[in-house]
């Protein structure tokens, strides 16, 4: 309880710090996944724009609006698709800015609480075993001295 009285700003214990850090990393991963999703949408919009741009503007085309397929002309659809693409690109820009802020926040948090990022135990053990394994193949001396 004494640490609770001390810690107005600082988290109470390691578990709270770890939970906060995990939450921050999770938020950063969510931003990454949203950016990836939106970049795929921009790519799809680009494909549509490239496909319909060279066509006759008075030609019929179909567009999905709110789950309803509507018939329009290319002249009406092309500007709307381009506006949507630009809007998505703006959102991606804002998300990239938010991602940079979140990265800085995580870096500051790591520095404040002296958090070091280590790989999962399996990865670290796997790499250590490989290094030791290659070294054991070279060091034959201890086995010979036992005899």
């Amino acid at each position: 309880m004494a640490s609770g009285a001390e810690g107005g700003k600082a988290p109470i214990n390691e578990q709270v710090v770890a939970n906060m850090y995990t939450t921050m990393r999770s938020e950063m991963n969510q931003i990454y996944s949203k950016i990836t999703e939106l970049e795929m949408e921009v790519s799809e919009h680009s494909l549509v724009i490239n496909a319909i741009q060279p066509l006759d503007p008075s030609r019929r085309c179909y567009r999905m609006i709110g789950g309803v397929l509507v018939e329009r002309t290319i002249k009406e659809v092309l500007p709307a698709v381009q506006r949507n693409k630009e809007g998505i690109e703006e959102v991606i820009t804002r998300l990239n800015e938010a991602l940079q802020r979140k990265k800085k926040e995580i870096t500051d948090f790591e520095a404040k609480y002296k958090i070091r990022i280590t790989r999962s135990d399996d990865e670290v053990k796997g790499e250590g075993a490989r290094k030791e394994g290659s070294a054991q193949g070279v060091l034959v001396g201890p086995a010979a001295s036992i005899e």
Side-chain angles (χ1 to χ4, degrees):
M1 289 288 166
S3 63
E6 298 172 18
K9 290 183 189 175
I12 298 169
N13 59 27
E14 288 180 21
Q15 187 61 42
V16 174
V17 171
N19 289 343
M20 289 173 63
Y21 185 71
T22 302
T23 301
M24 292 167 71
R25 298 283 297 189
S26 173
E27 290 170 359
M28 186 176 73
N29 288 335
Q30 288 173 349
I31 294 172
Y32 268 126
S33 64
K34 192 62 177 177
I35 289 171
T36 303
E37 177 185 333
L38 291 175
E39 284 174 343
M40 290 183 68
E41 280 193 38
V42 166
S43 175
E44 290 173 8
H45 278 69
S46 294
L47 287 172
V48 170
I49 290 168
N50 291 337
I52 66 175
Q53 214 164 22
L55 302 175
D56 178 27
S58 62
R59 186 172 175 173
R60 285 187 307 175
C61 69
Y62 297 89
R63 180 173 182 218
M64 183 74 72
I65 300 177
V68 178
L69 196 60
V70 295
E71 183 179 334
R72 299 277 188 239
T73 63
I74 290 177
K75 181 173 68 174
E76 295 169 327
V77 170
L78 187 58
V81 173
Q82 289 171 331
R83 277 193 309 273
N84 285 351
K85 180 184 171 199
E86 291 166 4
I88 293 170
E89 288 171 338
E90 286 178 28
V91 171
I92 290 172
T93 302
R94 284 193 227 117
L95 283 173
N96 278 322
E97 291 168 0
L99 181 63
Q100 295 307 318
R101 286 192 303 270
K102 183 58 72 175
K103 283 181 180 179
K104 183 177 180 347
E105 182 181 338
I106 288 173
T107 303
D108 294 344
F109 191 82
E110 288 171 350
K112 181 177 180 181
Y113 294 104
K114 297 177 178 74
I115 297 173
R116 290 181 313 217
I117 307 232
T118 57
R119 295 187 184 135
S120 67
D121 292 340
D122 295 337
E123 291 177 22
V124 172
K125 288 178 184 174
E127 285 184 9
R130 276 184 254 138
K131 289 178 184 174
E132 291 173 8
S134 63
Q136 287 177 352
V138 174
L139 297 176
V140 183
S145 64
I146 293 175
E147 293 177 41

